[in-house]
Amino acid sequence: MTYPETQLLHTLPILLICDNLRDPGNLGTILRSAAGAGCSKVLLTKGCVDAWEPKVLRAGMGAHFQVPIINNLDWEAVPNYLPNDTRVYVADNCGLYTQAQAQMSNKASDYGWVCDRRPLKFHKYEEEEENLESAANKGWLPELEVQTYDSDWTEAPAAVVIGGETSGVSLESLQLAESTGGGRLLIPIVPGVDSLNSAMAASILLFEGRRQLRVRAEHLSRDGSYH
């Protein structure tokens, strides 16, 4: 498939990874935001709703013809689609990683990302009664630096992982973020709010990434004018 020249000219070194997104309306809205922000591509892992399902197409409003979409990927194949030196960041304000940290610190509510949902299953770790604190202590839960969404995370090419609203991000996404030197992106929300809609979170992060790149380009241009 070929894409509009204007779209290619405005493509940014940011891509989106959708992790187990099952709601057609949410996925279509996310694709629309990805196209609007200038994402280089969108990767969909296995478990996501089909990007070409009619409801996704309707919600996408033409986004499918503005940004490359790669469907039905195993996590083992995802790195093959990432540019060199890409850092992977997960948007996870209501996943198992957060819950484990909350149990260990007892201060998660101070940051607005604790939620009321019970621990859910990982793709490969299905012990429903597993205690998350003990799991983290055993070392199979990756330790990722948490940074706010408006801190600088676009110095290198970046990939943002958005998880489904039911189960959050997967263990595989956390492992990929750890292996690439990425982290977790936190969008602070006030206590008492369960979580953000996945499409809303994706839009906030993608356009924040676009803003950071624009500001960096403006600084470089201004600095260059002095020489």
Side-chain angles (χ1 to χ4, degrees):
M1 186 182 294
T2 58
Y3 297 90
E5 189 67 26
T6 53
Q7 186 76 11
L8 297 176
L9 289 173
H10 292 89
T11 295
L12 302 176
I14 299 175
L15 63 84
L16 183 66
I17 302 173
C18 295
D19 181 9
N20 209 31
L21 273 166
R22 300 180 182 179
D23 184 88
N26 276 343
L27 180 56
T29 302
I30 287 171
L31 294 176
R32 190 176 179 183
S33 291
C39 277
S40 59
K41 67 183 72 167
V42 178
L43 310 181
L44 275 62
T45 62
K46 287 186 175 178
C48 289
V49 63
D50 184 0
W52 298 93
E53 196 264 357
K55 291 182 180 179
V56 181
L57 286 167
R58 188 179 305 118
M61 295 293 290
H64 293 69
F65 309 104
Q66 300 287 329
V67 60
I69 302 167
I70 302 171
N71 242 333
N72 204 36
L73 289 174
D74 289 313
W75 276 102
E76 292 78 6
V78 168
N80 298 332
Y81 295 89
L82 304 180
N84 293 334
D85 302 321
T86 296
R87 295 175 185 170
V88 175
Y89 294 89
V90 296
D92 176 28
N93 72 327
C94 196
L96 289 179
Y97 183 83
T98 296
Q99 295 183 33
Q101 294 297 311
Q103 288 183 16
M104 289 187 285
S105 70
N106 293 321
K107 293 183 179 180
S109 59
D110 294 343
Y111 300 95
W113 43 262
V114 67
C115 81
D116 295 330
R117 296 184 185 136
R118 298 281 74 81
L120 298 167
K121 297 178 182 179
F122 276 134
H123 296 185
K124 294 183 179 178
Y125 295 86
E126 298 187 349
E127 298 84 2
E128 296 184 41
E129 303 302 324
E130 177 77 28
N131 180 278
L132 290 175
E133 180 175 359
S134 115
N137 291 335
K138 290 176 183 176
W140 62 260
L141 198 61
E143 293 185 10
L144 297 175
E145 179 183 355
V146 179
Q147 59 189 93
T148 56
Y149 76 103
D150 55 352
S151 62
D152 192 357
W153 49 272
T154 57
E155 290 180 324
V160 176
V161 180
I162 296 292
E165 291 183 49
T166 301
S167 55
V169 294
S170 63
L171 175 60
E172 293 90 339
S173 69
L174 297 173
Q175 291 172 330
L176 183 59
E178 182 182 47
S179 69
T180 59
R184 284 185 59 242
L185 294 178
L186 167 67
I187 303 174
I189 55 178
V190 299
V193 177
D194 184 60
S195 66
L196 290 179
N197 171 278
S198 57
M200 180 64 73
S203 298
I204 291 171
L205 294 176
L206 293 176
F207 280 92
E208 170 60 22
R210 181 178 180 83
R211 184 197 67 81
Q212 292 182 16
L213 290 169
R214 187 188 70 248
V215 169
R216 183 175 293 110
E218 290 172 352
H219 286 170
L220 290 173
S221 176
R222 186 165 58 247
D223 293 343
S225 66
Y226 295 135
H227 300 287

